[in-house]
Coordinates of all heavy atoms in Angstrom, one line a residue:
H245 N 18.8 8.1 -2.4 CA 17.9 7.9 -1.2 C 16.6 8.6 -1.5 O 16.4 9.4 -2.4 CB 18.6 8.5 0.1 CG 18.9 9.9 0.0 ND1 20.1 10.4 -0.6 CD2 18.3 11.0 0.5 CE1 20.1 11.8 -0.5 NE2 19.0 12.1 0.2
Q246 N 15.7 8.3 -0.6 CA 14.3 8.9 -0.6 C 13.7 8.7 -2.0 O 13.1 9.7 -2.6 CB 14.3 10.4 -0.2 CG 14.5 10.6 1.2 CD 14.5 12.0 1.7 OE1 15.4 12.5 2.3 NE2 13.5 12.8 1.3
M247 N 13.8 7.5 -2.6 CA 13.2 7.3 -3.9 C 11.7 6.9 -3.7 O 11.4 6.0 -2.9 CB 13.9 6.2 -4.6 CG 13.4 6.0 -6.1 SD 14.4 4.9 -7.1 CE 14.0 3.3 -6.5
R248 N 10.9 7.7 -4.4 CA 9.5 7.4 -4.4 C 8.9 7.2 -5.8 O 9.3 7.9 -6.7 CB 8.7 8.5 -3.7 CG 8.9 8.6 -2.2 CD 8.0 9.7 -1.6 NE 8.7 11.0 -1.6 CZ 8.1 12.1 -1.2 NH1 6.9 12.1 -0.8 NH2 8.8 13.3 -1.2
T249 N 8.1 6.1 -6.0 CA 7.6 5.8 -7.3 C 6.1 5.5 -7.2 O 5.6 5.1 -6.2 CB 8.4 4.6 -7.9 OG1 8.1 3.5 -7.1 CG2 9.8 4.9 -8.0
R250 N 5.5 5.7 -8.3 CA 4.1 5.3 -8.4 C 3.7 5.2 -9.9 O 4.4 5.8 -10.8 CB 3.1 6.3 -7.7 CG 3.1 7.7 -8.2 CD 2.3 8.6 -7.4 NE 2.3 10.0 -7.8 CZ 1.5 10.6 -8.6 NH1 0.5 9.9 -9.1 NH2 1.6 11.9 -8.9
A251 N 2.6 4.6 -10.2 CA 2.1 4.5 -11.5 C 0.8 5.2 -11.6 O 0.0 5.3 -10.7 CB 1.8 3.0 -11.9
S252 N 0.5 5.8 -12.8 CA -0.7 6.5 -13.1 C -1.1 6.3 -14.5 O -0.7 7.0 -15.4 CB -0.5 8.0 -12.8 OG -1.7 8.7 -13.1
G253 N -1.9 5.2 -14.7 CA -2.3 4.8 -16.0 C -1.0 4.5 -16.8 O -0.2 3.6 -16.4
P254 N -0.9 5.1 -18.0 CA 0.3 4.8 -18.8 C 1.6 5.4 -18.4 O 2.6 5.2 -19.0 CB -0.1 5.3 -20.2 CG -1.0 6.4 -19.9 CD -1.8 6.0 -18.7
Y255 N 1.5 6.2 -17.3 CA 2.7 7.0 -16.9 C 3.3 6.5 -15.6 O 2.6 5.9 -14.8 CB 2.3 8.5 -16.7 CG 1.6 9.1 -17.9 CD1 0.3 9.3 -17.9 CD2 2.4 9.4 -19.0 CE1 -0.3 9.9 -19.0 CE2 1.8 10.0 -20.2 CZ 0.4 10.2 -20.1 OH -0.2 10.7 -21.2
L256 N 4.6 6.7 -15.4 CA 5.3 6.4 -14.2 C 5.8 7.8 -13.6 O 6.2 8.7 -14.4 CB 6.5 5.5 -14.4 CG 6.3 4.2 -15.1 CD1 7.7 3.5 -15.1 CD2 5.3 3.4 -14.3
H257 N 5.7 7.9 -12.3 CA 6.3 9.0 -11.6 C 7.4 8.6 -10.7 O 7.2 7.7 -9.8 CB 5.2 9.8 -10.8 CG 4.1 10.3 -11.7 ND1 4.2 11.5 -12.3 CD2 2.9 9.8 -12.1 CE1 3.1 11.8 -13.1 NE2 2.3 10.7 -12.9
V258 N 8.6 9.2 -10.9 CA 9.8 8.8 -10.1 C 10.3 10.1 -9.5 O 10.6 11.1 -10.1 CB 10.8 8.2 -11.0 CG1 12.1 7.8 -10.2 CG2 10.3 6.9 -11.7
Q259 N 10.6 10.0 -8.2 CA 11.1 11.1 -7.4 C 12.2 10.6 -6.5 O 12.0 9.6 -5.8 CB 10.0 11.8 -6.6 CG 10.5 13.0 -5.8 CD 9.4 13.6 -5.0 OE1 8.3 13.6 -5.5 NE2 9.7 14.2 -3.9
L260 N 13.4 11.2 -6.6 CA 14.5 10.7 -5.8 C 15.6 11.7 -5.5 O 15.6 12.8 -6.1 CB 15.2 9.4 -6.4 CG 15.7 9.6 -7.9 CD1 17.1 10.2 -7.9 CD2 15.6 8.3 -8.6
H261 N 16.5 11.4 -4.6 CA 17.6 12.3 -4.3 C 18.9 11.6 -4.6 O 19.1 10.4 -4.3 CB 17.6 12.7 -2.8 CG 16.4 13.5 -2.4 ND1 16.6 14.8 -1.8 CD2 15.1 13.3 -2.5 CE1 15.4 15.3 -1.5 NE2 14.5 14.4 -1.9
A262 N 19.8 12.3 -5.3 CA 21.1 11.7 -5.7 C 22.2 12.4 -4.9 O 22.3 13.6 -4.8 CB 21.3 11.9 -7.2
D263 N 23.1 11.6 -4.4 CA 24.3 12.0 -3.7 C 25.4 12.4 -4.7 O 25.9 11.5 -5.4 CB 24.8 11.0 -2.7 CG 23.7 10.7 -1.6 OD1 23.0 11.7 -1.2 OD2 23.7 9.6 -1.1
L264 N 25.8 13.6 -4.7 CA 26.9 14.1 -5.6 C 28.0 14.7 -4.8 O 27.8 15.1 -3.6 CB 26.3 15.1 -6.6 CG 25.2 14.6 -7.5 CD1 24.7 15.7 -8.4 CD2 25.5 13.3 -8.3
S265 N 29.2 14.8 -5.4 CA 30.3 15.4 -4.7 C 30.0 16.9 -4.5 O 29.5 17.6 -5.4 CB 31.6 15.3 -5.6 OG 32.6 16.1 -5.1
P266 N 30.3 17.4 -3.3 CA 30.0 18.8 -3.0 C 31.0 19.7 -3.7 O 30.8 21.0 -3.7 CB 30.2 18.9 -1.4 CG 31.1 17.7 -1.1 CD 30.8 16.7 -2.1
D267 N 32.0 19.2 -4.4 CA 33.0 20.0 -5.1 C 32.5 20.3 -6.5 O 33.2 21.1 -7.2 CB 34.3 19.3 -5.1 CG 34.9 19.1 -3.8 OD1 34.7 19.9 -2.9 OD2 35.6 18.0 -3.6
L268 N 31.4 19.7 -6.9 CA 30.9 20.0 -8.3 C 30.3 21.4 -8.4 O 29.7 21.9 -7.5 CB 29.9 18.9 -8.7 CG 30.3 17.5 -8.8 CD1 29.1 16.6 -9.0 CD2 31.3 17.3 -10.0
T269 N 30.5 22.0 -9.6 CA 29.8 23.2 -9.9 C 28.3 22.9 -10.1 O 27.9 21.8 -10.4 CB 30.3 23.9 -11.1 OG1 30.1 23.1 -12.3 CG2 31.8 24.2 -10.9
L270 N 27.5 23.9 -10.1 CA 26.0 23.7 -10.4 C 25.8 23.2 -11.8 O 25.0 22.3 -12.0 CB 25.3 25.1 -10.2 CG 23.8 25.1 -10.6 CD1 23.1 24.1 -9.7 CD2 23.2 26.5 -10.4
E271 N 26.6 23.7 -12.7 CA 26.5 23.2 -14.1 C 26.9 21.7 -14.2 O 26.2 21.0 -14.9 CB 27.4 24.1 -15.0 CG 27.3 23.7 -16.5 CD 28.0 24.6 -17.4 OE1 28.6 25.6 -16.9 OE2 28.1 24.3 -18.6
Q272 N 27.9 21.3 -13.5 CA 28.3 19.9 -13.6 C 27.3 19.0 -12.9 O 27.0 17.9 -13.4 CB 29.7 19.7 -12.8 CG 30.9 20.4 -13.6 CD 32.1 20.4 -12.7 OE1 32.1 20.5 -11.5 NE2 33.3 20.2 -13.4
A273 N 26.7 19.5 -11.8 CA 25.7 18.7 -11.1 C 24.5 18.5 -12.0 O 23.8 17.5 -12.2 CB 25.3 19.3 -9.8
H274 N 24.1 19.6 -12.7 CA 23.0 19.6 -13.6 C 23.2 18.6 -14.8 O 22.3 17.9 -15.2 CB 22.8 21.0 -14.2 CG 21.7 21.1 -15.2 ND1 20.4 21.0 -14.9 CD2 21.8 21.3 -16.6 CE1 19.7 21.1 -16.0 NE2 20.5 21.2 -17.1
E275 N 24.4 18.6 -15.3 CA 24.8 17.7 -16.4 C 24.6 16.2 -15.9 O 24.1 15.4 -16.7 CB 26.2 17.9 -16.8 CG 26.7 16.9 -17.8 CD 28.2 17.0 -18.1 OE1 28.8 18.1 -17.7 OE2 28.8 16.1 -18.5
I276 N 25.0 15.9 -14.7 CA 24.9 14.5 -14.2 C 23.4 14.1 -14.0 O 23.0 13.0 -14.4 CB 25.6 14.4 -12.9 CG1 27.1 14.6 -13.1 CG2 25.3 13.0 -12.2 CD1 27.9 14.7 -11.8
V277 N 22.6 15.1 -13.5 CA 21.2 14.8 -13.3 C 20.5 14.6 -14.6 O 19.7 13.7 -14.8 CB 20.6 15.9 -12.5 CG1 19.1 15.8 -12.5 CG2 21.1 15.9 -11.0
V278 N 20.8 15.4 -15.6 CA 20.1 15.3 -16.9 C 20.5 14.0 -17.6 O 19.6 13.3 -18.2 CB 20.5 16.5 -17.8 CG1 20.0 16.3 -19.3 CG2 19.9 17.8 -17.3
A279 N 21.7 13.6 -17.5 CA 22.2 12.3 -18.1 C 21.5 11.2 -17.4 O 21.1 10.2 -18.1 CB 23.7 12.2 -17.9
A280 N 21.3 11.2 -16.1 CA 20.5 10.2 -15.4 C 19.1 10.1 -15.8 O 18.5 9.0 -16.0 CB 20.6 10.4 -13.9
E281 N 18.5 11.3 -16.0 CA 17.1 11.3 -16.5 C 17.0 10.7 -17.8 O 16.0 9.9 -18.1 CB 16.6 12.8 -16.5 CG 16.4 13.4 -15.2 CD 16.0 14.9 -15.3 OE1 16.1 15.4 -16.4 OE2 15.5 15.4 -14.3
K282 N 17.9 10.9 -18.7 CA 17.9 10.3 -20.0 C 18.0 8.8 -20.0 O 17.4 8.1 -20.8 CB 19.0 11.0 -20.9 CG 18.7 12.4 -21.3 CD 19.8 13.0 -22.2 CE 19.5 14.4 -22.6 NZ 20.6 15.0 -23.4
R283 N 18.9 8.3 -19.1 CA 19.0 6.9 -19.0 C 17.7 6.2 -18.5 O 17.3 5.2 -19.1 CB 20.1 6.5 -18.0 CG 21.5 6.8 -18.4 CD 22.6 6.1 -17.6 NE 22.5 6.5 -16.2 CZ 23.1 7.6 -15.7 NH1 23.8 8.4 -16.5 NH2 23.0 7.9 -14.4
I284 N 17.0 6.8 -17.6 CA 15.7 6.3 -17.1 C 14.7 6.4 -18.2 O 13.9 5.5 -18.5 CB 15.3 7.0 -15.9 CG1 16.3 6.8 -14.7 CG2 13.9 6.6 -15.5 CD1 16.0 7.6 -13.5
L285 N 14.7 7.5 -18.9 CA 13.7 7.7 -20.0 C 13.9 6.8 -21.2 O 12.9 6.4 -21.8 CB 13.7 9.2 -20.5 CG 13.1 10.2 -19.6 CD1 13.4 11.6 -20.1 CD2 11.6 10.0 -19.5
D286 N 15.1 6.4 -21.4 CA 15.4 5.4 -22.5 C 14.7 4.1 -22.1 O 14.2 3.4 -23.0 CB 16.9 5.2 -22.6 CG 17.5 6.3 -23.4 OD1 16.8 7.1 -24.1 OD2 18.8 6.4 -23.3
A287 N 14.6 3.7 -20.9 CA 14.0 2.5 -20.4 C 12.5 2.6 -20.2 O 11.7 1.7 -20.4 CB 14.7 1.9 -19.2
Y288 N 12.1 3.8 -19.7 CA 10.7 4.1 -19.4 C 10.3 5.4 -20.0 O 10.3 6.5 -19.3 CB 10.6 4.2 -17.8 CG 11.1 2.9 -17.1 CD1 12.4 2.9 -16.6 CD2 10.2 1.8 -17.0 CE1 12.8 1.7 -16.0 CE2 10.7 0.7 -16.3 CZ 12.0 0.6 -15.8 OH 12.4 -0.5 -15.2
P289 N 10.0 5.4 -21.3 CA 9.7 6.6 -22.0 C 8.6 7.5 -21.5 O 8.5 8.7 -21.8 CB 9.4 6.1 -23.5 CG 10.1 4.8 -23.5 CD 10.0 4.2 -22.2
A290 N 7.6 6.8 -20.8 CA 6.5 7.5 -20.3 C 6.7 8.0 -18.8 O 5.7 8.2 -18.1 CB 5.2 6.7 -20.4
A291 N 7.9 8.1 -18.4 CA 8.2 8.4 -17.0 C 8.2 9.9 -16.8 O 8.7 10.7 -17.6 CB 9.5 7.8 -16.5
D292 N 7.8 10.4 -15.6 CA 7.9 11.8 -15.2 C 8.9 11.7 -14.0 O 8.6 11.1 -13.0 CB 6.5 12.3 -14.7 CG 6.7 13.7 -14.1 OD1 7.4 14.5 -14.7 OD2 6.0 13.9 -13.0
I293 N 10.1 12.4 -14.2 CA 11.2 12.2 -13.3 C 11.6 13.5 -12.6 O 11.7 14.5 -13.2 CB 12.4 11.6 -14.0 CG1 12.0 10.4 -14.8 CG2 13.5 11.3 -13.1 CD1 13.0 10.0 -15.9
I294 N 11.8 13.4 -11.3 CA 12.3 14.5 -10.5 C 13.5 14.0 -9.7 O 13.4 13.1 -8.9 CB 11.2 15.1 -9.5 CG1 10.0 15.7 -10.3 CG2 11.9 16.2 -8.7 CD1 8.9 16.2 -9.4
I295 N 14.7 14.6 -10.0 CA 15.9 14.2 -9.2 C 16.4 15.4 -8.5 O 16.7 16.5 -9.1 CB 17.0 13.7 -10.2 CG1 16.4 12.5 -11.0 CG2 18.3 13.4 -9.5 CD1 17.4 12.0 -12.0
H296 N 16.6 15.3 -7.2 CA 17.1 16.3 -6.4 C 18.6 16.0 -6.0 O 18.8 15.0 -5.4 CB 16.3 16.5 -5.1 CG 16.8 17.5 -4.1 ND1 16.3 18.8 -4.1 CD2 17.7 17.5 -3.1 CE1 16.9 19.5 -3.2 NE2 17.8 18.7 -2.6
P297 N 19.5 16.8 -6.4 CA 20.9 16.6 -6.1 C 21.3 17.0 -4.6 O 20.9 18.1 -4.2 CB 21.7 17.4 -7.1 CG 20.8 18.5 -7.4 CD 19.4 18.0 -7.3
D298 N 22.0 16.2 -3.9 CA 22.4 16.5 -2.5 C 23.9 16.4 -2.5 O 24.6 15.6 -3.2 CB 21.8 15.5 -1.5 CG 20.4 15.8 -1.1 OD1 20.1 17.0 -1.1 OD2 19.7 14.9 -0.9
P299 N 24.6 17.3 -1.7 CA 26.0 17.3 -1.5 C 26.6 16.1 -0.7 O 26.7 16.3 0.5 CB 26.3 18.6 -0.9 CG 25.1 18.9 -0.1 CD 24.0 18.3 -0.8
G300 N 26.8 15.0 -1.3 CA 27.4 13.9 -0.6 C 26.5 13.4 0.5 O 25.3 13.2 0.4
D301 N 27.1 13.2 1.7 CA 26.4 12.7 2.9 C 25.8 13.8 3.7 O 25.5 13.6 4.9 CB 27.2 11.8 3.7 CG 28.5 12.5 4.2 OD1 28.7 13.6 3.9 OD2 29.3 11.8 5.0
R302 N 25.8 15.0 3.2 CA 25.3 16.2 4.0 C 23.8 16.5 3.6 O 23.4 17.7 3.7 CB 26.2 17.4 3.8 CG 27.6 17.1 4.2 CD 28.3 18.4 4.6 NE 28.3 19.4 3.5 CZ 29.2 19.5 2.6 NH1 30.2 18.7 2.6 NH2 29.1 20.5 1.7
A303 N 23.1 15.5 3.2 CA 21.7 15.8 2.8 C 20.8 16.1 4.0 O 21.0 15.5 5.1 CB 21.1 14.5 2.1
E304 N 19.9 17.0 3.9 CA 19.0 17.4 4.9 C 17.7 16.7 4.7 O 17.3 16.4 3.6 CB 18.8 18.9 4.9 CG 20.0 19.7 5.2 CD 20.5 19.6 6.6 OE1 19.6 19.3 7.5 OE2 21.7 19.6 6.9
P305 N 16.9 16.5 5.8 CA 15.6 15.9 5.6 C 14.7 16.7 4.7 O 14.7 18.0 4.7 CB 15.0 15.8 7.0 CG 16.2 15.8 7.9 CD 17.2 16.7 7.2
H306 N 13.9 16.1 3.8 CA 13.0 16.8 2.9 C 11.6 16.2 3.0 O 11.4 15.0 3.1 CB 13.5 16.7 1.4 CG 14.9 17.2 1.2 ND1 15.2 18.6 1.1 CD2 16.1 16.6 1.1 CE1 16.5 18.7 0.9 NE2 17.0 17.6 0.9
G307 N 10.6 17.1 2.9 CA 9.3 16.6 2.8 C 8.6 16.1 4.1 O 7.6 15.5 4.1
G308 N 9.3 16.4 5.3 CA 8.6 16.0 6.5 C 8.4 14.5 6.6 O 9.3 13.7 6.2
A309 N 7.2 14.1 7.1 CA 6.9 12.7 7.2 C 6.9 12.0 5.9 O 7.2 10.8 5.8 CB 5.5 12.6 7.9
F310 N 6.5 12.7 4.8 CA 6.5 12.1 3.5 C 7.9 11.7 3.0 O 8.1 10.8 2.3 CB 5.8 13.0 2.5 CG 4.3 13.1 2.7 CD1 3.8 14.2 3.4 CD2 3.5 12.1 2.2 CE1 2.4 14.3 3.6 CE2 2.1 12.3 2.4 CZ 1.6 13.3 3.1
G311 N 8.9 12.5 3.4 CA 10.2 12.2 2.9 C 11.0 11.1 3.6 O 11.8 10.5 3.1
E312 N 10.7 10.9 4.9 CA 11.5 10.0 5.7 C 10.9 8.8 6.2 O 11.5 7.8 6.5 CB 12.1 10.8 6.9 CG 12.9 12.0 6.5 CD 14.2 11.7 5.8 OE1 14.7 10.6 5.9 OE2 14.7 12.6 5.1
A313 N 9.5 8.8 6.4 CA 8.9 7.7 7.1 C 9.1 6.3 6.6 O 9.3 5.4 7.3 CB 7.4 8.0 7.2
A314 N 9.0 6.2 5.2 CA 9.1 4.9 4.6 C 10.5 4.6 4.0 O 10.6 3.7 3.2 CB 8.0 4.8 3.5
D315 N 11.5 5.4 4.3 CA 12.8 5.3 3.7 C 13.7 4.4 4.5 O 14.9 4.7 4.7 CB 13.4 6.7 3.5 CG 14.5 6.7 2.4 OD1 14.4 5.8 1.5 OD2 15.4 7.5 2.5
G316 N 13.2 3.2 4.9 CA 14.0 2.3 5.8 C 15.3 1.9 5.2 O 16.3 1.7 5.9
E317 N 15.4 1.7 3.9 CA 16.7 1.2 3.3 C 17.5 2.3 2.6 O 18.4 2.0 1.9 CB 16.4 0.1 2.3 CG 15.7 -1.1 3.0 CD 15.4 -2.2 1.9 OE1 15.7 -2.0 0.7 OE2 14.9 -3.3 2.3

Side-chain angles (χ1 to χ4, degrees):
H245 60 280
Q246 288 182 231
M247 185 168 79
R248 286 185 274 175
T249 61
R250 63 186 176 94
S252 180
Y255 306 106
L256 302 182
H257 295 277
V258 180
Q259 179 177 331
L260 55 85
H261 292 239
D263 295 328
L264 304 179
S265 170
D267 299 327
L268 294 173
T269 65
L270 177 59
E271 183 175 356
Q272 289 171 326
H274 175 72
E275 175 191 338
I276 294 171
V277 167
V278 169
E281 290 176 347
K282 289 181 178 179
R283 289 195 299 275
I284 297 174
L285 285 172
D286 284 341
Y288 305 93
D292 174 43
I293 307 165
I294 299 177
I295 300 176
H296 178 92
D298 279 327
D301 58 356
R302 299 206 303 270
E304 296 293 330
H306 301 282
F310 288 98
E312 301 294 340
D315 198 29
E317 297 180 359

